């Protein structure tokens, strides 16, 4: 049974990957593939996922799984992700994110004689911005409008410049990250403690590795291809719509989460506050800042709609993807894919570490194929608790490299939104960017495996 189910699951994985490469709607692909796997599992007599309140009909239970996925996701991680999306839309519209990027890029002007060092320094600066502004496409477009012309005018090739800009979105970490939001629900911990205890210790050496790799790889390819920019392009200063003190607004959620976290004891009576509540608080602080600055109550009230619209956009694009991926993972479980993975891994001598590495590799290549780190992680992340329970290994230990693999794989995918949007502005091929990114991220992936599992 395990063999037949695992083979069927692998066939579905290949079909799903193929359809996603052909740019079929990812929500529909994951949802229907999950439903078909559940139906096949039912017909073959496999054990179905448990329902708290079954309908009484095995066939109708399949649709009950969808309802449960909607209700549980919207009530938990879905609301958090929508709040994050609404806040990001709000700070982008009122100009706070522009102010933060403007200040963060100031240090680059001090090193105009060292173009490739500047290019490498964009990575940690951009990564910091990505923690505060967790929108890969939004941040990359901001950097393309601001730092890209500076690098090109300093002699960095278009490909080198756009490659480091896409690299700034390589690690989807931090309390405001969508992947983190999903991950902490799986491992049942707080986003702040996961960020500081698990993500940062791994992110720092990986960021340094990326900086070193891109310095040498970009310089080598530019000399080999003789592709350094010879025609300067117009530098575009970020147009600030608000005073610079607005730059505090994107960082404010992280500050509030830290102040009220269990890591510090600032208050005699502990105050417990989650990320969703913090995002709502920060939106109201932003509205108050706008009211004090503009004294236009009507405009401030209307700007609240930006937050709600952002929540709706995230529901359409991300939350529905989580729900569809949840059904896909239920289908894989029903066809005994996890049991087959564990059995085959153990038969060839792989323990918990070996299977963890296999899962990280699967996530990385799934992200490359799908062009979406979120889709890859949401599809395979829910499988982790079952694997770790079977093997008796730490859930955090397995899921952490999967988080990083999902984001890194996206930056090597020529069909990802970040590469496509950035390549259009830079007037280069997304496939050339993916080729340029492949070596640094391949090395960084290996370093991640060594640091996390061996050292």
């Amino acid at each position: 049974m395990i063999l037949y189910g695992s083979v069927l699951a692998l066939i579905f994985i290949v079909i799903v990957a193929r359809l996603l490469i052909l740019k079929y709607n990812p929500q529909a692909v994951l949802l229907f593939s999950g439903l078909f796997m559940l139906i096949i599992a039912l017909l073959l007599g496999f054990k179905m996922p448990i329902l708290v309140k079954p309908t009484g009909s095995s066939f109708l239970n399949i649709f009950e799984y969808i309802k449960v996925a909607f209700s549980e996701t919207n009530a938990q991680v879905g609301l958090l992700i929508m709040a994050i999306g609404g806040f990001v839309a709000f700070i982008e519209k009122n100009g706070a994110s522009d102010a933060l990027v403007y200040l963060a890029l100031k240090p680059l002007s001090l090193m105009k004689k060292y173009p490739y060092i500047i290019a490498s320094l964009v990575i940690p600066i951009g990564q910091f911005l990505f923690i505060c502004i967790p929108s890969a496409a939004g941040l990359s477009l901001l950097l393309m409008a601001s730092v890209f012309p500076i690098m090109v005018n300093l002699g960095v090739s278009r490909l080198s410049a756009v490659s480091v800009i896409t690299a700034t979105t390589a690690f989807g970490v931090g309390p405001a990250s969508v992947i983190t939001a999903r991950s902490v629900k799986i491992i049942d911990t707080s986003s702040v403690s996961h960020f500081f205890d698990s993500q940062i210790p791994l992110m720092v050496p990986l960021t340094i590795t990326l900086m070193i790799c891109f310095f040498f790889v970009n310089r080598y390819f530019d000399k080999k291809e003789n592709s350094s920019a010879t025609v300067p392009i117009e530098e575009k200063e970020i147009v600030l719509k608000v005073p610079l003190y607005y730059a505090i607004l994107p960082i404010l959620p992280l500050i509030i989460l830290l102040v009220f976290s269990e890591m510090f004891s600032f208050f005699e009576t502990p105050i417990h506050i989650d990320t969703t509540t913090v995002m709502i608080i920060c939106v109201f602080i932003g509205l108050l800042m706008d009211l004090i600055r503009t004294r236009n109550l009507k405009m401030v009230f209307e700007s609240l709609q930006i937050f709600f619209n952002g929540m709706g956009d995230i529901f359409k694009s991300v939350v529905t993807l989580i729900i569809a991926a949840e059904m896909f993972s239920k289908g894989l479980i029903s066809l005994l894919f996890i049991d087959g993975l564990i059995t085959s891994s153990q038969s060839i001598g792989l323990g918990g570490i070996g299977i963890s590495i296999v899962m990280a590799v699967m996530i990385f290549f799934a992200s490359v194929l799908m062009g979406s780190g979120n889709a890859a992680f949401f599809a395979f992340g829910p499988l982790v608790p079952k694997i770790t329970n079977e093997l008796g290994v730490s859930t955090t230990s397995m899921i952490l490299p999967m988080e990083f693999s999902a984001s890194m794989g996206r930056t090597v995918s020529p069909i990802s939104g970040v590469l496509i949007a950035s390549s259009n502005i830079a007037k280069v091929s997304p496939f050339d960017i993916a080729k340029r990114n492949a070596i640094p991220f391949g090395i960084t992936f290996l370093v991640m495996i060594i640091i996390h599992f061996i050292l």
Side-chain angles (χ1 to χ4, degrees):
M1 292 284 282
I2 291 178
L3 177 61
Y4 294 141
S6 298
V7 170
L8 287 170
L10 286 172
I11 291 172
F12 271 99
I13 290 173
V14 172
I15 293 171
V16 166
R18 178 62 179 168
L19 292 176
L20 290 172
I21 290 173
L22 294 175
K23 297 185 179 180
Y24 278 65
N25 179 273
Q27 283 91 334
V29 170
L30 292 171
L31 177 62
F32 282 107
S33 61
L35 287 174
F36 286 142
M37 283 189 284
L38 287 168
I39 291 171
I40 291 173
L42 178 63
L43 294 176
L44 294 178
F46 288 13
K47 185 179 179 181
M48 302 297 288
I50 298 173
L51 278 172
V52 177
K53 294 181 179 179
T55 63
S57 166
S58 297
F59 179 74
L60 293 179
N61 279 347
I62 292 173
F63 298 96
E64 184 72 10
Y65 292 131
I66 301 177
K67 189 205 82 172
V68 170
F70 265 100
S71 59
E72 290 182 350
T73 300
N74 287 334
Q76 300 174 23
V77 69
L79 178 60
L80 167 59
I81 294 171
M82 285 190 287
I84 292 171
F87 178 70
V88 170
F90 178 75
I91 61 175
E92 286 180 352
K93 186 68 175 178
N94 78 351
S97 56
D98 286 343
L100 179 61
V101 172
Y102 178 86
L103 286 178
L105 295 180
K106 280 295 181 182
L108 296 180
S109 62
L110 303 176
M111 304 187 68
K112 290 187 176 180
K113 294 182 179 179
Y114 309 99
Y116 286 100
I117 294 179
I118 287 179
S120 293
L121 284 174
V122 168
I123 295 173
I125 293 173
Q127 180 59 58
F128 167 74
L129 294 171
F130 192 43
I131 292 171
C132 303
I133 310 170
S135 169
L139 177 62
S140 64
L141 292 176
L142 274 173
L143 295 178
M144 286 301 296
S146 54
V147 73
F148 176 74
I150 296 173
M151 286 192 286
V152 171
N153 287 331
L154 288 173
V156 181
S157 73
R158 291 174 180 268
L159 273 174
S160 293
V162 75
S163 67
V164 294
I165 286 174
T166 57
T168 62
T169 64
F171 306 131
V173 300
S177 162
V178 171
I179 289 179
T180 299
R182 182 61 175 145
S183 183
V184 296
K185 290 294 181 183
I186 294 172
I187 60 181
D188 191 24
T189 187
S190 74
S191 56
V192 174
S193 62
H194 184 59
F195 176 51
F196 282 95
D197 297 339
S198 302
Q199 291 179 334
I200 284 183
L202 188 56
M203 181 188 71
V204 171
L206 295 188
T207 301
I208 295 171
T209 302
L210 267 187
M211 292 173 66
I212 296 171
C213 288
F214 270 107
F215 177 87
F216 289 105
V217 168
N218 279 334
R219 191 172 66 171
Y220 168 77
F221 276 108
D222 284 349
K223 288 181 178 179
K224 180 182 177 181
E225 299 169 3
N226 192 26
S227 58
S228 62
T230 55
V231 180
I233 61 177
E234 181 184 354
E235 292 188 24
K236 296 181 180 179
E237 283 283 341
I238 293 178
V239 179
L240 294 175
K241 297 182 290 186
V242 292
L244 281 177
Y245 62 77
Y246 267 70
I248 192 66
L249 194 55
I251 309 173
L252 198 56
L254 186 59
I255 295 174
I256 295 176
L257 285 168
L258 284 175
V259 169
F260 293 106
S261 73
E262 297 177 357
M263 297 178 62
F264 304 100
S265 301
F266 293 131
F267 306 96
E268 291 185 7
T269 303
I271 298 175
H272 303 286
I273 186 169
D274 61 18
T275 307
T276 305
T277 306
V278 168
M279 292 297 167
I280 296 171
I281 291 171
C282 291
V283 168
F284 278 90
I285 291 174
L287 292 171
L288 180 61
M289 291 169 66
D290 285 344
L291 180 61
I292 294 172
R293 180 177 60 88
T294 64
R295 295 183 175 86
N296 187 333
L297 185 62
K298 182 179 181 182
M299 186 195 74
V300 170
F301 280 4
E302 289 177 351
S303 65
L304 181 61
Q305 189 63 39
I306 298 167
F307 173 71
F308 295 135
N309 290 343
M311 290 183 70
D313 291 339
I314 288 296
F315 177 82
K316 291 188 298 183
S317 59
V318 178
V319 177
T320 54
L321 184 60
I322 295 176
I323 294 166
E326 187 80 24
M327 296 304 299
F328 178 71
S329 65
K330 274 186 169 61
L332 291 177
I333 291 172
S334 68
L335 288 179
L336 305 178
F337 175 73
I338 299 305
D339 299 84
L341 179 63
I342 294 171
T343 302
S344 59
S345 299
Q346 290 177 333
S347 66
I348 60 177
L350 293 179
I353 292 177
I355 295 180
S356 297
I357 294 173
V358 169
M359 291 295 288
V361 172
M362 286 176 59
I363 286 273
F364 183 87
F365 284 106
S367 182
V368 174
L369 290 172
M370 297 178 183
S372 169
N374 290 343
F377 185 79
F378 295 155
F380 292 98
L383 308 179
V384 171
K386 181 175 175 59
I387 298 175
T388 54
N389 288 337
E390 292 282 345
L391 298 175
V393 297
S394 166
T395 305
T396 302
S397 177
M398 178 174 286
I399 211 165
L400 184 63
M402 292 170 62
E403 295 174 14
F404 282 82
S405 298
S407 298
M408 286 194 287
R410 179 188 59 210
T411 58
V412 189
S413 173
I415 62 171
S416 68
V418 173
L419 264 66
I420 290 173
S422 301
S423 65
N424 285 338
I425 296 175
K427 295 181 173 57
V428 296
S429 166
F431 290 92
D432 289 337
I433 302 173
K435 188 164 57 177
R436 185 72 68 101
N437 288 359
I439 295 175
F441 282 105
I443 294 172
T444 303
F445 182 86
L446 292 175
V447 170
M448 177 188 72
I449 297 299
I450 293 170
I451 291 174
H452 185 66
F453 292 111
I454 299 177
L455 297 182

